[in-house]
Amino acid sequence: AQTVTQSQPEMSVQEAETVTLSCTYDTSESDYYLFWYKQPPSRQMILVIRQEAYKQQNATENRFSVNFQKAAKSFSLKISDSQLGDAAMYFCAYRRNAGGTSYGKLTFGQGTILTVHP
Amino acid sequence: GAVVSQHPSRVICKSGTSVKIECRSLDFQATTMFWYRQFPKKSLMLMATSNEGSKATYEQGVEKDKFLINHASLTLSTLTVTSAHPEDSSFYICSAGRTSKGFFGQGTRLTVV
């Protein structure tokens, strides 16, 4: 079974600075997706960034980027120029590549609560 | 973009009654939907996989008779919490999607009093 581990229950960062959230996972599969989701106080799950395992290039989305180390099974999220609106709970998630057009189930990490100080 | 709508967003019910939560895919067909449960400041735990036209697949430890799932159409899955008790109070979230991208409903906060 796949497992996802986020070892940082809480993190804090000053506005405009950079913070990195850690995530490790365990799987025997070679084809899968990794995700970072943001859950603000509204509790709506928002996709931040997605990485396909077969792509060596690290995904980036504006101020968000990942460091994907497939051999080490590590998938960290870097938030640059942190903003107050970035404050939320962040979840790392794993999904095997189900193929076809169906979307598969996610395995989530424990979550990291990010606080942004003005 | 694709949207998943969940209803109601909040519900309070009396102990012993049943509550139905709906999850709809608004602009795409979803043969599979997923139901998660989340406790405050905790992770999302998969409860079951809802399959259109067939029985749901429940995760280990989830009571099938307590959490009834029906996926009668390609755009609608329902989760019914039967004979609800205070310990069933939680946040329930559904998800669905296509290809590599999934979408989450807004979630339902269930309070059993």
Side-chain angles (χ1 to χ4, degrees):
Chain A
Q2 295 79 22
T3 59
V4 179
T5 302
Q6 293 177 248
S7 59
Q8 306 157 316
E10 297 184 24
M11 291 284 285
S12 64
V13 63
Q14 289 292 133
E15 196 175 5
E17 294 191 347
T18 296
V19 64
T20 298
L21 307 185
S22 301
C23 173
T24 58
Y25 61 96
D26 189 25
T27 183
S28 59
E29 299 174 342
S30 60
D31 193 7
Y32 50 87
Y33 290 92
L34 294 166
F35 305 84
W36 278 98
Y37 282 93
K38 171 184 177 181
Q39 188 180 43
S42 68
R43 303 189 81 169
Q44 173 72 56
M45 296 290 286
I46 301 167
L47 177 63
V48 175
I49 200 164
R50 174 182 56 189
Q51 175 79 43
E52 297 166 88
Y54 64 86
K55 288 188 176 180
Q56 292 186 342
Q57 187 173 5
N58 290 324
T60 62
E61 289 286 343
N62 300 312
R63 299 183 294 108
F64 299 88
S65 62
V66 297
N67 183 2
F68 174 48
Q69 300 291 325
K70 191 172 184 178
K73 295 180 181 174
S74 171
F75 183 61
S76 62
L77 173 70
K78 185 172 81 171
I79 306 174
S80 303
D81 186 25
S82 296
Q83 300 176 359
L84 295 177
D86 294 334
M89 192 159 188
Y90 287 81
F91 291 99
C92 178
Y94 167 100
R95 201 213 93 192
R96 64 184 292 264
N97 188 357
T101 59
S102 64
Y103 180 73
K105 64 182 181 181
L106 293 164
T107 300
F108 287 92
Q110 300 89 331
T112 298
I113 297 173
L114 178 65
T115 301
V116 181
H117 298 290
Chain B
V3 176
V4 173
S5 178
Q6 189 173 338
H7 178 80
S9 58
R10 293 189 176 202
V11 59
I12 301 174
C13 72
K14 292 185 177 180
S15 186
T17 62
S18 296
V19 174
K20 181 184 287 187
I21 302 169
E22 293 186 346
C23 181
R24 294 182 184 273
S25 56
L26 297 185
D27 59 356
F28 65 99
Q29 295 181 332
T31 56
T32 304
M33 294 185 177
F34 302 93
W35 288 96
Y36 297 86
R37 182 174 182 175
Q38 185 184 29
F39 291 105
K41 296 188 178 181
K42 298 294 184 182
S43 187
L44 282 73
M45 300 301 296
L46 180 67
M47 298 175 63
T49 302
S50 175
N51 303 299
E52 188 270 333
S54 65
K55 292 183 178 180
T57 304
Y58 291 83
E59 296 298 302
Q60 191 173 8
V62 177
E63 298 177 60
K64 300 178 183 180
D65 296 332
K66 159 71 74 178
F67 300 101
L68 298 179
I69 292 173
N70 183 277
H71 196 150
S73 78
L74 287 170
T75 59
L76 174 64
S77 175
T78 60
L79 168 67
T80 301
V81 183
T82 64
S83 187
H85 291 284
E87 56 264 31
D88 298 326
S89 298
S90 191
F91 192 68
Y92 295 87
I93 310 176
C94 69
S95 77
R98 51 186 175 190
T99 62
S100 66
K101 198 169 184 180
F103 304 91
F104 287 85
Q106 305 93 320
T108 298
R109 183 188 301 275
L110 171 63
T111 303
V112 184
V113 298

